[in-house]
Amino acid sequence: MVHAAAPVARRYHDLTPHTPDSVRSGGHTLDWDNKPFPFKVYTDIPGLHLPREVDVLATPTLAAIAGYGPPPRPRLTLSALVSLLYYTAGVTKQKTYPGGGQVLFRAAASTGALYQTEVYVIVGALEDLSPGVYHFCPGDFTLRRLRDDDARGALASAVANATPGRAAATLALTGIVWRNSWKYRARTYRHLFWDGGTMLANALAAGTALGLAPRVFTGFVDDAVHKLLGVDGAGEVALALVSLGPQTASAPSGRAPVAIAHATVPLSRHVVDEPLVTHAHTVSALQTPDDVARWRHGRAPASLAAGGPTVALPTSESQEGRALGETIQRRGSTRHFARVPIALDDLGAALWAASRPVPADVPSAFTDIYMSVHAVDGLAPGTYVYRREEHVLERLEAGDFRRQAAFLCLEQPLGGDAAVTLFFLSRLEGVLAEFGERGYRLVNLEAGLAGGRAYLAAYARGFGATGLTFYDDEVVRFFQPRAAGHDAIFVVALGHAASAAGGVLGLTTIAAPTRRS
Ligand SMILES: Cc1cc2nc3c(=O)[nH]c(=O)nc-3n(C[C@H](O)[C@H](O)[C@H](O)COP(=O)(O)O)c2cc1C
């Protein structure tokens, strides 16, 4: 289905780039006294403390990313759900700073460690958990029951698909705008989906490793989902849903869910609105189940047409590398890269993992991966683009581009010190023509998911990764003429960490839940 252009998304994107000038003249100072609290705390609902024992997730990481796991579970148990929540959004590490400040780092990467992505679970048929809608708080490792009806029928209707109505449970990811916009202001709209995407990478891989056949839904009647979760749809917005577990008998369609409004601790003293974010989200909402069904029929962009000469990448062996549980436990953003090479099959594995199809309600492959190669054994330094169907790199330009790559990544040395820096670019106009304003959500979510998978592949194979932000137009210019008509969406740098500790300097792995095989 071809939409008219998506003027609001386009305008939002064009108004929120980073440029050397915007970074120098930005003048935004952080109001530390008004920093939002990183956990959502309900004050009127008792917490159900979850068992502090989680599965080890023995499935090899790359296999789990590709959707190969143990046979489906006959039923979803609370203990499998707890494992899924921990590896998706749990606290995996903590760092104490001089002066006593403490950051609790989570399973998935998040811009600025601000952790605006919240997780809810719509539960239907679990042996040891009553039906209802729950909020997961990673801080005290609890679920809080926000409503006690079986909401799956209403969810299926909002999603215009029977699966969430029969799924044992469905995760709902939301973004709390102010928790991120406190630092990143209007650019937060991108971050909501990037960080939602890195979290989805974990949820899908962990769901597969737990035999829960996870499936993502990006199309839904926004207001209906907000009402089910009891969020306002402005300060906190639904990003994506993930159905889990065996299909059971359909939930009763029942009465329309009543509105809920539970009290929560304010995020900070006051909230600053970001009208660009609110507008981009509002205009991309879907109003009725019919709208959802129609929207979902958009097509994926055609694969990248063949260009210049190519280099074949080794075939990835999905059984190699660390098990998923260990990978997620070790993951962290590399803070300094050693200027040492990674192997060609390591790069191949990261690209392969990043590009696996997504089990979702819409097609995937909304971004193309361009890269600046600095130190990969057997590969001449220079720029390349990945052609996913053929699993080959197309050569663009030979040369040592470390300095340029660091510049493109907002002048951060990480972008140039990495063995390779991946730039996710999108033929955005085509996606917006197919999927309208909501296509912008898809592009950013999928790029975050692909980047999250690249992180996992790196830690599975014993090297490191970090997400990076970037100078939008300079990135596209750098990859011209091949990248004509593209927009820059996301960046991940890969390489060995400069510390023996595997790249997470000064962090301690916390005594998180015991891991059970
Ligand atoms: C989309 C995205 C962009 C990021 N951009 C940067 C960046 O520009 N510079 C940087 O040093 N770290 C960046 N990071 C890393 C975050 O700071 C990091 O994920 C966060 O501090 C949490 O730490 P952890 O990933 O080690 O758990 C980015 C992460 C993501 C997911």
Side-chain angles (χ1 to χ4, degrees), residues 121-144:
V121 202
I122 296 103
V123 171
L126 250 70
E127 258 177 18
D128 33 12
L129 190 66
S130 309
V133 174
Y134 295 80
H135 172 258
F136 172 59
C137 180
D140 59 2
F141 210 54
T142 54
L143 284 173
R144 283 186 172 74

Side-chain angles (χ1 to χ4, degrees), residues 105 109-111 113 115 194-195 331-333 335 412 467-469 490:
F105 287 87
S110 175
T111 44
Y115 301 115
W194 297 348
D195 296 345
R331 190 212 62 78
S333 295
R335 300 292 82 192
Q412 298 178 89
L468 288 173
T469 194
F490 192 87

Side-chain angles (χ1 to χ4, degrees), residues 358-370:
V358 180
D361 59 340
V362 286
S364 33
F366 293 114
T367 51
D368 302 312
I369 309 179
Y370 287 71

Side-chain angles (χ1 to χ4, degrees), residues 92-93 97 103 105-115 184 190-191 194-195 198 331-335 409-410 412 414 448 455 459 465-470 490-492 503-504 507:
T92 49
K93 298 187 178 68
Y97 292 88
V103 176
F105 287 87
R106 318 270 179 103
S110 175
T111 44
L114 293 170
Y115 301 115
Y184 296 108
R190 305 175 186 220
H191 295 193
W194 297 348
D195 296 345
T198 59
R331 190 212 62 78
S333 295
T334 304
R335 300 292 82 192
C409 298
L410 235 66
Q412 298 178 89
L414 284 161
Y455 257 105
Y459 280 84
T466 184
L468 288 173
T469 194
F470 48 87
F490 192 87
V491 174
V492 173
V504 240
L507 292 184

